[in-house]
Amino acid sequence: MRIDVVSIFPEYLEGLRLSLIGKAIDQGLLELGVHDLRAFTVDRHRTVDDTPYGGGAGMVMKAEPWALALERILDAAAAPGSLAPRDRLGEADEAAPADEAAAADAETADAVTAAGKPVLIVPSPAGPVFDQRTAEELAHADHLVFACGRYEGIDQRVLDWAQERFECRPMSIGDYVLNGGEVASMVMIEAVTRLIPGVIGNPESLAEESHEDGLLEYPIYTKPASWRGHEVPEVLLSGNHQAIARWRRDRRLERTAEVRPDLLARLDDLDRGDREALD
Ligand SMILES: Nc1cc(-c2ccc3ccn(Cc4ccc(CN5CCCCC5)cc4)c3c2)n[nH]1
């Protein structure tokens, strides 16, 4: 998967290169391109915003720099190898060494285009709320592009213009207002990329996660068994795997009923044992 992020604060996204995602990039499981929107401005003052038509508080991000940045990303995706996997466009574009360019053969280019349009994710308070289902869906995409707005957002015509070139997805990460799209993009990139095989060490840990099957996760413990007068539940020390599985399921049901009854309402496959745990 290739991910491109456009922002006026590209350094915000450098955190993505740490830890697991950074390792996945080094292993070639992921490509991450972070692009400074100001590199695509066309005036001496590198202007990215202006006052809103119709009046109102704040500023709106101008359309042209966004179109130039997104076109550059599309062109690069159609001719891979022209962007080093860990590139940052805008400054001196790091032309890939000849051998890499040679490696980016027509077949790869076809794979990118044949796989359909890149997904353009535009974080916004006014989008559908991102959840684990959305993460699982996006984990199958070949190319994700994140447009990180600031100020009061991006001129609507960018989304209108982008429709034929991208699968456009305005996306909220929750019902609260941030100052821009960078943090929202990092949340979504982390939630999506950890689902890609090989990115996190132990795939089994993905199976029993909160929201994976609609229930929140069970409480977890590690050594010592007795800690400041707090004991690990006996069943977890018993080695009785059936009893442990039942205990964990019961805790998940209880926790979900207490913390997120809305999730429980969505569940339709509770068995008799589950219902007993909830009574
Ligand atoms: N889940 C979530 C995502 C975001 C998010 C994502 C991207 C951007 C880009 C800018 N902001 C700040 C912002 C956006 C909207 C308003 C409201 N304003 C009212 C008048 C008409 C224009 C819009 C205020 C400030 C963003 C905020 N917040 N929360």
Side-chain angles (χ1 to χ4, degrees), residues 2 4 6 35 40 66-80 82-83 89 109 112-113 116-120 143-145 161-167:
R2 177 167 178 92
D4 287 287
V6 184
H35 315 279
F40 299 93
W66 280 106
L68 293 173
L70 294 175
E71 279 173 338
R72 179 73 177 75
I73 288 167
L74 283 172
D75 293 348
S82 62
L83 289 180
L89 288 190
V112 170
T113 47
K117 299 188 278 190
V119 181
L120 177 64
H143 190 187
L144 300 179
V145 182
W161 164 86
Q163 292 300 322
E164 61 190 70
R165 297 160 174 83
F166 295 90
E167 184 197 331

Side-chain angles (χ1 to χ4, degrees), residues 238-255:
S238 68
N240 177 340
H241 298 292
Q242 193 182 356
I244 291 168
R246 183 72 254 174
W247 180 87
R248 285 176 165 175
R249 174 90 181 166
D250 292 352
R251 297 298 74 70
R252 295 185 72 199
L253 289 158
E254 270 172 14
R255 184 178 262 184

Side-chain angles (χ1 to χ4, degrees), residues 123-125 149-153 171-181 184:
S124 158
R150 280 271 157 173
Y151 306 100
E152 297 290 316
M171 198 72 71
S172 162
I173 61 163
D175 295 336
Y176 38 83
V177 183
L178 302 168
N179 288 331

Side-chain angles (χ1 to χ4, degrees), residues 107-161:
E107 188 197 9
T108 316
D110 291 349
V112 170
T113 47
K117 299 188 278 190
V119 181
L120 177 64
I121 297 168
V122 185
S124 158
V129 179
F130 178 84
D131 64 7
Q132 193 66 18
R133 297 285 151 271
T134 319
E136 286 161 1
E137 176 204 348
L138 294 176
H140 292 96
D142 293 305
H143 190 187
L144 300 179
V145 182
F146 288 82
C148 301
R150 280 271 157 173
Y151 306 100
E152 297 290 316
I154 302 171
D155 187 311
Q156 178 59 37
R157 289 170 294 179
V158 173
L159 251 87
D160 302 341
W161 164 86

